[in-house]
Each structure stands twice: as structure tokens, then as C-alpha cells.
Amino acid sequence: MPEQVLPVALTVNGAAHRVQVPSRRLLSDCLRHDLRLTGTHVGCEHGVCGACTVLLDGVPVRSCLVLAASADGAEVTTVEGLGTEEALSPEQQAFRECHALQCGFCTPGFLTTVRAYLDDHPDPTEEEAREAVAGNLCRCTGYQGIVRAVLRAAEIRREREVAP
């Protein structure tokens, strides 16, 4: 018996999309394969590593644990939606400045996680920054640069709010 195919409407990074997906298609696979947004990485496929983290209606979720059909009607923000090469987001700029990445595989998940965290906690302490990224795994860098990047991203956000 063939798998049921469902229509799904998503707004991803501000653009509306309508796709037909198998009922068991994961959001991460829908983003990567159906919409060709390959910035979302799939690491463990069990929701443990956080590499696949995207924002679903502003809330960070492990896209490898979410069925695409259950995201019907939602707004999704992937790493591609955070900034551009010409205008990096505060999080992207901070990760670059603080050398908070090495191979970069986990970085999209960190960036979306940090975006959501700083939206709710604009002035974190170092301990709070460390706690904010504790659910994301990085095998390359250790977390010193990542924690510095969270704090620097908060600074950049404040600077940009003040700047005309």
C-alpha cells in the first residue's frame, strides 16, 4: 500500500511554499529535499545533537523530530533566513568574530537556537549563555567560542538597536 501524500503549506524564511509530502516525511527532509534549503543539517536523527534546529513559529524545534505535515500553516525560520552574506545576522556575525565554529556542521542549529534564546533573554550572563546552548552538540570547537559568541551576539543586537 503506497504511503499517503499530504499537501503542506509552509512559510519558510518569509516565502510561502506548498508541497506534497509523504505523511511520514520529516520537516528536516522537507526543508532539505523538497525546498532545497540545505542549511539545516541532520546529524543524529534522534533530536539529540541539535544540528537540525529550526524555528517553528519562533520556537526552536528539532526538525528531525517534527513531521512536515504537522507544521502545515506554520512559519519556519532556517539558518538561511537569519541573515545574508552581505548582512549577517548578529548571531552569524558573532560566531564569525568569536571563531565559534570549526567544521560548521552544527552551526545552523546553534545559530537558530541562539536567535530564539536572545529574543527572550537579551542580556544573558556567561552561565546563562552556556545553559542556552547546552542542548546543542559540537564535536570540534569545545564551547568557549560558542559561549563568547552568544554574549557577543547579544552585544551586537543591542548595538544595532541603538544605531540609527
Side-chain angles (χ1 to χ4, degrees), residues 44-98:
C44 67
E45 298 184 74
H46 298 288
V48 175
C49 73
C52 67
T53 303
V54 299
L55 303 180
L56 187 62
D57 291 329
V59 176
V61 299
R62 307 293 205 226
S63 62
C64 74
L65 298 179
V66 176
L67 293 173
S70 69
D72 185 41
E75 286 194 30
V76 179
T77 304
T78 69
V79 69
E80 290 97 337
L82 297 181
T84 65
E85 285 186 44
E86 298 78 27
L88 296 177
S89 71
E91 299 81 15
Q92 292 166 322
Q93 181 181 334
F95 268 65
R96 184 170 73 185
E97 287 179 10
C98 297

Side-chain angles (χ1 to χ4, degrees), residues 59-144:
V59 176
V61 299
R62 307 293 205 226
S63 62
C64 74
L65 298 179
V66 176
L67 293 173
S70 69
D72 185 41
E75 286 194 30
V76 179
T77 304
T78 69
V79 69
E80 290 97 337
L82 297 181
T84 65
E85 285 186 44
E86 298 78 27
L88 296 177
S89 71
E91 299 81 15
Q92 292 166 322
Q93 181 181 334
F95 268 65
R96 184 170 73 185
E97 287 179 10
C98 297
H99 308 287
L101 57 97
Q102 189 167 334
C103 82
F105 187 83
C106 63
T107 305
F110 274 101
L111 291 171
T112 51
T113 298
V114 171
R115 164 66 62 90
Y117 179 75
L118 292 178
D119 284 348
D120 293 336
H121 305 87
D123 192 19
T125 64
E126 182 175 334
E127 184 177 328
E128 291 167 336
R130 187 172 305 282
E131 182 68 26
V133 296
N136 290 63
L137 301 179
C138 175
R139 298 182 341 169
C140 302
T141 64
Y143 290 84
Q144 299 299 326

